Amino acid sequence: EVQLVESGGGLVQPGGSLRLSCAASGFTFSSYWMSWVRQAPGKGLEWVANIKQDGSEKYYVDSVKGRFTISRDNAKNSLYLQMNSLRAEDTAVYYCARWTDSSGYNYWGQGTLVTVSS
Amino acid sequence: SYELTQPPSVSVSPGQTARITCSGDALPKQYAYWYQQKPGQAPVLVIYKDSERPSGIPERFSGSSSGTTVTLTISGVQAEDEADYYCQSADSSGTHVVFGGGTKLTVL
C-alpha cells in the first residue's frame, strides 16, 4: 500500500525556518517525481515545488523561490522541504504528493500544518 | 504567471448533471487533471490526462477537452459528490504545475 506521511509542521515566527519531511513507503520512491503542494486556511491548492527522480531537476513557484529548497534522499525514501525566511502568507497545510504524467497526483499525504505567526 | 480559471461555484439538484469548466492558454498542449477535495481531507484524483478515470472512481465522473477549456462532468450527481473540485495542469514548458482556483459543488 502506498503511503506518504508528512511531519515537521508547527508554529514558527516570521523570518524563521522549518524543515518538513515526507516518508514514503509501498512503492519504489526513486522512480517518481515528487512534489509539495500547500493549502492556506479556507483557500485553494497551490503547487510549491517538485523534484525529479534523481534530484537533478527542481522547480518552484515564484513566491517561494530563493526561500524554500526541495530535496530528497532516495536511500531513506524521504522527501524534504527546507523553508527559510517564513512569512505569514506561508501559513498552510503542506502536502507531499507523488506525480506521474500518466496519472497525475494519484497519491497524497495527510498534510502537515505550518503556522507562521508571532 | 500562468493561470487556470474555474467558476467559484456550481449548484445542481441530485440526479442532475454538473459541469465544471477550467480554462487556460496552455491546455491545448498540456494534459489536465481533476481532483475532488472534501473538508478536512487530502485531494483525490478523479480524472487524469483530460478524460481518463482512475480505478475506483465512479463512472458518473468524466472529463473532456476542447481548445483552451477542459470540462469535468458529473452525471447523476449524488449528495456525496458535494465537494471542492480543482483542475491542474502545467505551463507551456511543462516544468511548473498550476492548479485552478477551485469550484465548490453544492448539491441542493
Side-chain angles (χ1 to χ4, degrees), chain A residues 35 37 39 43-47 50 57 59-62 65 95 99-106 108-111, chain B residues 1 31 33 35 37 40-45 48-49 52 54 84 86 88-89 94-102:
Chain A
S35 296
V37 177
Q39 186 169 35
K43 302 297 185 181
L45 300 173
E46 181 183 38
W47 168 76
N50 55 14
E57 294 182 38
Y59 301 98
Y60 301 90
V61 68
D62 286 348
K65 215 171 290 186
Y95 297 99
W99 170 263
T100 60
D101 286 342
S102 60
S103 51
Y105 290 119
N106 57 349
W108 297 69
Q110 85 289 351
Chain B
S1 61
Y31 282 124
Y33 305 80
Y35 303 86
Q37 188 182 34
Q41 298 182 18
V44 173
L45 178 75
Y48 65 96
K49 292 175 68 175
E52 301 295 319
D84 293 324
Y86 296 90
Q88 174 256 307
S89 187
T95 59
H96 287 66
V97 175
V98 62
F99 286 91

Side-chain angles (χ1 to χ4, degrees), chain B residues 40-79:
Chain B
Q41 298 182 18
V44 173
L45 178 75
V46 294
I47 293 290
Y48 65 96
K49 292 175 68 175
D50 291 348
S51 59
E52 301 295 319
R53 191 175 56 249
S55 61
I57 300 301
E59 290 185 8
R60 62 181 181 272
F61 288 86
S62 63
S64 61
S65 175
S66 178
T68 59
T69 299
V70 293
T71 302
L72 172 69
T73 300
I74 310 172
S75 305
V77 167
Q78 299 182 8

Side-chain angles (χ1 to χ4, degrees), chain B residues 23-34:
Chain B
S23 300
D25 290 342
L27 287 175
K29 293 172 281 191
Q30 300 290 346
Y31 282 124
Y33 305 80
W34 289 94

